[in-house]
Amino acid sequence: MADPPWEIHMDLPYGTMSDDEVCKLDFPKLQEEEGGLLFLWVTGRAMERAREIFQYWGYKQLEEIIWIKTNQLQKVIRTGRTGHWLNHSKEHCLVGVKGDFVTAGLEGGGGRTRVNHHVDCDVIVAEARETSRKPDEIYDIIERLCPDGRKVEVFGRKHNIREGWITVGNQLPPTHLVGDTLVRYRGWEATER
């Protein structure tokens, strides 16, 4: 999963990247051997560009998850500081696949099923919290969809660290692996737990 710091022409409490800088990231290398799924958070302004970047990286878009933002009273947020003409009350997470990751376990695919189909909905209704923090429900969806898959989050922050995930980001210590399975994976060593 990735939540790139897209430029949205607003003052934000973190640095941003241009669309071209996001495109130049080497995400395909993370899944070049086995293929896999990519959950990519996208701003409304960058939707079409993100779809082009998916193709450039070798992913095919399969789904789109929408997060409807609510306040503490569980009412849809109708005011805010995002959007050019209308206030944005939602965010988009594109879901793409690379390689035969999804079809490996289907009939004729020769392997075991790697994705649990039809276990979740493509809409999350959840409270908006601090700037750019995504709903915890996205992790639950990914974990149910691919319970045995390796989980990596890029552009993570301290609040994103979860058991069973590899989380990297410029606001984290250089190495932070949680869970004995991840520490042993391919001989990685943890410098802190």
mmCIF file of all heavy atoms in Angstrom, residues 107-132:
data_model
loop_
_atom_site.group_PDB
_atom_site.id
_atom_site.type_symbol
_atom_site.label_atom_id
_atom_site.label_comp_id
_atom_site.label_asym_id
_atom_site.label_seq_id
_atom_site.Cartn_x
_atom_site.Cartn_y
_atom_site.Cartn_z
ATOM 1 N N GLU A 107 -8.700 -21.870 -11.272
ATOM 2 C CA GLU A 107 -8.690 -23.044 -12.130
ATOM 3 C C GLU A 107 -7.731 -22.841 -13.300
ATOM 4 O O GLU A 107 -7.799 -21.843 -14.006
ATOM 5 C CB GLU A 107 -10.102 -23.301 -12.654
ATOM 6 C CG GLU A 107 -10.206 -24.587 -13.433
ATOM 7 C CD GLU A 107 -11.640 -24.874 -13.854
ATOM 8 O OE1 GLU A 107 -12.563 -24.432 -13.160
ATOM 9 O OE2 GLU A 107 -11.803 -25.538 -14.881
ATOM 10 N N GLY A 108 -6.814 -23.762 -13.477
ATOM 11 C CA GLY A 108 -5.841 -23.681 -14.556
ATOM 12 C C GLY A 108 -4.632 -22.827 -14.223
ATOM 13 O O GLY A 108 -3.680 -22.772 -14.973
ATOM 14 N N GLY A 109 -4.647 -22.159 -13.066
ATOM 15 C CA GLY A 109 -3.532 -21.306 -12.684
ATOM 16 C C GLY A 109 -2.384 -22.071 -12.063
ATOM 17 O O GLY A 109 -1.273 -21.576 -11.992
ATOM 18 N N GLY A 110 -2.644 -23.278 -11.581
ATOM 19 C CA GLY A 110 -1.578 -24.134 -11.095
ATOM 20 C C GLY A 110 -1.146 -23.896 -9.664
ATOM 21 O O GLY A 110 -0.332 -24.640 -9.143
ATOM 22 N N GLY A 111 -1.655 -22.914 -8.979
ATOM 23 C CA GLY A 111 -1.218 -22.662 -7.606
ATOM 24 C C GLY A 111 -2.399 -22.584 -6.676
ATOM 25 O O GLY A 111 -3.535 -22.836 -7.046
ATOM 26 N N ARG A 112 -2.111 -22.217 -5.426
ATOM 27 C CA ARG A 112 -3.201 -22.074 -4.462
ATOM 28 C C ARG A 112 -3.771 -20.655 -4.557
ATOM 29 O O ARG A 112 -3.120 -19.749 -5.050
ATOM 30 C CB ARG A 112 -2.706 -22.363 -3.062
ATOM 31 C CG ARG A 112 -1.621 -21.437 -2.575
ATOM 32 C CD ARG A 112 -1.128 -21.877 -1.197
ATOM 33 N NE ARG A 112 -0.071 -21.017 -0.753
ATOM 34 C CZ ARG A 112 -0.246 -19.824 -0.205
ATOM 35 N NH1 ARG A 112 -1.452 -19.362 -0.007
ATOM 36 N NH2 ARG A 112 0.782 -19.091 0.166
ATOM 37 N N THR A 113 -4.968 -20.488 -4.079
ATOM 38 C CA THR A 113 -5.616 -19.186 -4.120
ATOM 39 C C THR A 113 -4.864 -18.224 -3.219
ATOM 40 O O THR A 113 -4.610 -18.518 -2.063
ATOM 41 C CB THR A 113 -7.087 -19.300 -3.682
ATOM 42 O OG1 THR A 113 -7.725 -20.223 -4.554
ATOM 43 C CG2 THR A 113 -7.778 -17.957 -3.750
ATOM 44 N N ARG A 114 -4.497 -17.076 -3.743
ATOM 45 C CA ARG A 114 -3.736 -16.090 -2.991
ATOM 46 C C ARG A 114 -4.586 -14.904 -2.570
ATOM 47 O O ARG A 114 -4.159 -14.087 -1.790
ATOM 48 C CB ARG A 114 -2.565 -15.622 -3.833
ATOM 49 C CG ARG A 114 -1.652 -16.786 -4.220
ATOM 50 C CD ARG A 114 -0.637 -16.365 -5.206
ATOM 51 N NE ARG A 114 0.528 -15.861 -4.502
ATOM 52 C CZ ARG A 114 1.615 -15.436 -5.102
ATOM 53 N NH1 ARG A 114 1.694 -15.450 -6.402
ATOM 54 N NH2 ARG A 114 2.627 -14.992 -4.416
ATOM 55 N N VAL A 115 -5.793 -14.802 -3.137
ATOM 56 C CA VAL A 115 -6.669 -13.675 -2.834
ATOM 57 C C VAL A 115 -8.043 -14.216 -2.470
ATOM 58 O O VAL A 115 -8.590 -15.069 -3.161
ATOM 59 C CB VAL A 115 -6.778 -12.726 -4.047
ATOM 60 C CG1 VAL A 115 -7.768 -11.611 -3.769
ATOM 61 C CG2 VAL A 115 -5.420 -12.145 -4.406
ATOM 62 N N ASN A 116 -8.591 -13.719 -1.371
ATOM 63 C CA ASN A 116 -9.958 -14.065 -0.973
ATOM 64 C C ASN A 116 -10.910 -13.097 -1.666
ATOM 65 O O ASN A 116 -10.997 -11.934 -1.285
ATOM 66 C CB ASN A 116 -10.122 -13.954 0.547
ATOM 67 C CG ASN A 116 -9.313 -14.993 1.277
ATOM 68 O OD1 ASN A 116 -9.187 -16.120 0.820
ATOM 69 N ND2 ASN A 116 -8.767 -14.622 2.405
ATOM 70 N N HIS A 117 -11.582 -13.571 -2.665
ATOM 71 C CA HIS A 117 -12.497 -12.730 -3.429
ATOM 72 C C HIS A 117 -13.804 -12.509 -2.667
ATOM 73 O O HIS A 117 -14.237 -13.366 -1.912
ATOM 74 C CB HIS A 117 -12.809 -13.378 -4.784
ATOM 75 C CG HIS A 117 -11.601 -13.541 -5.645
ATOM 76 N ND1 HIS A 117 -11.194 -12.574 -6.527
ATOM 77 C CD2 HIS A 117 -10.694 -14.543 -5.729
ATOM 78 C CE1 HIS A 117 -10.098 -12.986 -7.140
ATOM 79 N NE2 HIS A 117 -9.770 -14.168 -6.676
ATOM 80 N N HIS A 118 -14.423 -11.369 -2.877
ATOM 81 C CA HIS A 118 -15.768 -11.050 -2.375
ATOM 82 C C HIS A 118 -15.882 -11.095 -0.852
ATOM 83 O O HIS A 118 -16.935 -11.462 -0.329
ATOM 84 C CB HIS A 118 -16.815 -11.975 -3.014
ATOM 85 C CG HIS A 118 -16.705 -12.055 -4.502
ATOM 86 N ND1 HIS A 118 -16.951 -10.967 -5.326
ATOM 87 C CD2 HIS A 118 -16.343 -13.073 -5.312
ATOM 88 C CE1 HIS A 118 -16.761 -11.335 -6.580
ATOM 89 N NE2 HIS A 118 -16.392 -12.598 -6.605
ATOM 90 N N VAL A 119 -14.847 -10.713 -0.133
ATOM 91 C CA VAL A 119 -14.923 -10.705 1.332
ATOM 92 C C VAL A 119 -15.159 -9.308 1.901
ATOM 93 O O VAL A 119 -15.392 -9.168 3.091
ATOM 94 C CB VAL A 119 -13.655 -11.313 1.992
ATOM 95 C CG1 VAL A 119 -13.525 -12.783 1.649
ATOM 96 C CG2 VAL A 119 -12.410 -10.538 1.625
ATOM 97 N N ASP A 120 -15.095 -8.290 1.062
ATOM 98 C CA ASP A 120 -15.268 -6.929 1.545
ATOM 99 C C ASP A 120 -15.982 -6.078 0.514
ATOM 100 O O ASP A 120 -16.176 -6.475 -0.632
ATOM 101 C CB ASP A 120 -13.902 -6.297 1.879
ATOM 102 C CG ASP A 120 -13.471 -6.605 3.286
ATOM 103 O OD1 ASP A 120 -14.161 -6.161 4.224
ATOM 104 O OD2 ASP A 120 -12.453 -7.296 3.469
ATOM 105 N N CYS A 121 -16.295 -4.872 0.940
ATOM 106 C CA CYS A 121 -16.985 -3.880 0.127
ATOM 107 C C CYS A 121 -15.959 -2.851 -0.369
ATOM 108 O O CYS A 121 -14.892 -2.702 0.224
ATOM 109 C CB CYS A 121 -18.045 -3.211 0.997
ATOM 110 S SG CYS A 121 -18.976 -1.922 0.179
ATOM 111 N N ASP A 122 -16.280 -2.133 -1.432
ATOM 112 C CA ASP A 122 -15.360 -1.135 -1.966
ATOM 113 C C ASP A 122 -15.612 0.260 -1.416
ATOM 114 O O ASP A 122 -15.125 1.246 -1.954
ATOM 115 C CB ASP A 122 -15.392 -1.123 -3.496
ATOM 116 C CG ASP A 122 -16.751 -0.754 -4.067
ATOM 117 O OD1 ASP A 122 -17.718 -0.612 -3.280
ATOM 118 O OD2 ASP A 122 -16.856 -0.618 -5.294
ATOM 119 N N VAL A 123 -16.362 0.362 -0.323
ATOM 120 C CA VAL A 123 -16.627 1.644 0.325
ATOM 121 C C VAL A 123 -16.276 1.531 1.803
ATOM 122 O O VAL A 123 -16.685 0.572 2.474
ATOM 123 C CB VAL A 123 -18.106 2.067 0.174
ATOM 124 C CG1 VAL A 123 -18.383 3.361 0.932
ATOM 125 C CG2 VAL A 123 -18.473 2.214 -1.295
ATOM 126 N N ILE A 124 -15.508 2.486 2.286
ATOM 127 C CA ILE A 124 -15.198 2.607 3.707
ATOM 128 C C ILE A 124 -15.855 3.891 4.188
ATOM 129 O O ILE A 124 -15.674 4.945 3.576
ATOM 130 C CB ILE A 124 -13.676 2.698 3.944
ATOM 131 C CG1 ILE A 124 -12.963 1.425 3.470
ATOM 132 C CG2 ILE A 124 -13.378 2.984 5.412
ATOM 133 C CD1 ILE A 124 -11.448 1.541 3.470
ATOM 134 N N VAL A 125 -16.617 3.811 5.254
ATOM 135 C CA VAL A 125 -17.197 4.993 5.878
ATOM 136 C C VAL A 125 -16.533 5.096 7.244
ATOM 137 O O VAL A 125 -16.750 4.238 8.105
ATOM 138 C CB VAL A 125 -18.733 4.886 6.014
ATOM 139 C CG1 VAL A 125 -19.293 6.124 6.695
ATOM 140 C CG2 VAL A 125 -19.373 4.674 4.646
ATOM 141 N N ALA A 126 -15.680 6.117 7.405
ATOM 142 C CA ALA A 126 -14.896 6.209 8.639
ATOM 143 C C ALA A 126 -14.522 7.654 8.930
ATOM 144 O O ALA A 126 -14.451 8.495 8.029
ATOM 145 C CB ALA A 126 -13.631 5.360 8.525
ATOM 146 N N GLU A 127 -14.234 7.882 10.186
ATOM 147 C CA GLU A 127 -13.897 9.220 10.664
ATOM 148 C C GLU A 127 -12.558 9.704 10.100
ATOM 149 O O GLU A 127 -11.594 8.948 10.049
ATOM 150 C CB GLU A 127 -13.828 9.183 12.190
ATOM 151 C CG GLU A 127 -13.630 10.514 12.846
ATOM 152 C CD GLU A 127 -13.650 10.394 14.360
ATOM 153 O OE1 GLU A 127 -14.384 9.542 14.895
ATOM 154 O OE2 GLU A 127 -12.921 11.175 15.000
ATOM 155 N N ALA A 128 -12.545 10.951 9.680
ATOM 156 C CA ALA A 128 -11.302 11.592 9.253
ATOM 157 C C ALA A 128 -10.544 12.015 10.508
ATOM 158 O O ALA A 128 -11.138 12.522 11.460
ATOM 159 C CB ALA A 128 -11.598 12.793 8.374
ATOM 160 N N ARG A 129 -9.243 11.780 10.499
ATOM 161 C CA ARG A 129 -8.413 12.151 11.637
ATOM 162 C C ARG A 129 -7.390 13.168 11.180
ATOM 163 O O ARG A 129 -7.700 14.010 10.350
ATOM 164 C CB ARG A 129 -7.797 10.888 12.234
ATOM 165 C CG ARG A 129 -8.902 9.948 12.770
ATOM 166 C CD ARG A 129 -8.397 8.619 13.195
ATOM 167 N NE ARG A 129 -8.018 7.822 12.027
ATOM 168 C CZ ARG A 129 -7.555 6.595 12.082
ATOM 169 N NH1 ARG A 129 -7.384 6.018 13.234
ATOM 170 N NH2 ARG A 129 -7.242 5.928 11.001
ATOM 171 N N GLU A 130 -6.162 13.109 11.684
ATOM 172 C CA GLU A 130 -5.182 14.117 11.305
ATOM 173 C C GLU A 130 -4.884 14.065 9.801
ATOM 174 O O GLU A 130 -5.189 13.085 9.131
ATOM 175 C CB GLU A 130 -3.903 14.006 12.140
ATOM 176 C CG GLU A 130 -3.210 12.676 12.070
ATOM 177 C CD GLU A 130 -3.612 11.703 13.172
ATOM 178 O OE1 GLU A 130 -4.762 11.741 13.642
ATOM 179 O OE2 GLU A 130 -2.786 10.871 13.538
ATOM 180 N N THR A 131 -4.276 15.128 9.301
ATOM 181 C CA THR A 131 -4.004 15.286 7.873
ATOM 182 C C THR A 131 -3.335 14.050 7.294
ATOM 183 O O THR A 131 -2.342 13.574 7.821
ATOM 184 C CB THR A 131 -3.099 16.515 7.638
ATOM 185 O OG1 THR A 131 -3.764 17.666 8.138
ATOM 186 C CG2 THR A 131 -2.800 16.705 6.162
ATOM 187 N N SER A 132 -3.897 13.541 6.233
ATOM 188 C CA SER A 132 -3.430 12.422 5.415
ATOM 189 C C SER A 132 -3.504 11.058 6.089
ATOM 190 O O SER A 132 -3.174 10.056 5.480
ATOM 191 C CB SER A 132 -2.026 12.692 4.856
ATOM 192 O OG SER A 132 -1.036 12.014 5.540
#
